[in-house]
Amino acid sequence: MSILAFALAAGALSAAQDLDRYAPPEVRQAPACVCPASRETPEVVFSGFVVDAEVTLGADRRSVEDRMATVFDVKSSNNGDVDGRTRLWHTTAPSSCGVTFDYGKKYSVAARRSDDGDLETDKCLMRAAG
């Protein structure tokens, strides 16, 4: 006899009241990333190893924002001014098409220039890194 059946038989649980406690938890899906059908052409494509990261603190000065920079040691690029230690800004939130990178791994990265001239990427643009 299962523990649940035993508890019901012993009167320890009211079937109508307590069975919901044993139901699987409701899983809420985060809003999905939706990439445009037409692919964006990257301004820069580079290959390099992840060597560091820079996080941005939230307003409470204790939490970490979703937007961060991953620092790459760039080995090759299609743009002569992208080499050596290079910061790549991105979000990590899946709902905003964020990406994550692992330390020590080599990646091919597709990036664009932001309005301030920083390199940035997202999941949709990374499709062009091939």
Side-chain angles (χ1 to χ4, degrees), residues 16-100:
Q17 182 181 13
D18 291 329
L19 279 181
D20 286 340
R21 185 171 22 169
Y22 298 99
E26 179 182 338
V27 178
R28 294 183 182 158
Q29 295 288 339
C33 166
V34 178
C35 295
S38 62
R39 292 186 179 197
E40 179 181 353
T41 302
E43 295 177 50
V44 178
V45 177
F46 67 84
S47 178
F49 293 90
V50 175
V51 294
D52 204 356
E54 293 179 19
V55 296
T56 307
L57 291 179
D60 64 3
R61 308 297 289 159
R62 284 182 261 167
S63 62
V64 177
E65 293 288 330
D66 287 336
R67 187 165 166 78
M68 65 176 293
T70 297
V71 180
F72 284 84
D73 183 13
V74 175
K75 298 300 181 187
S76 64
S77 77
N78 68 343
N79 185 327
D81 60 327
V82 178
D83 63 345
R85 299 289 165 116
T86 302
R87 260 190 226 118
L88 177 72
W89 288 92
H90 57 93
T91 180
T92 58
S95 61
S96 60
C97 301
V99 292
T100 58

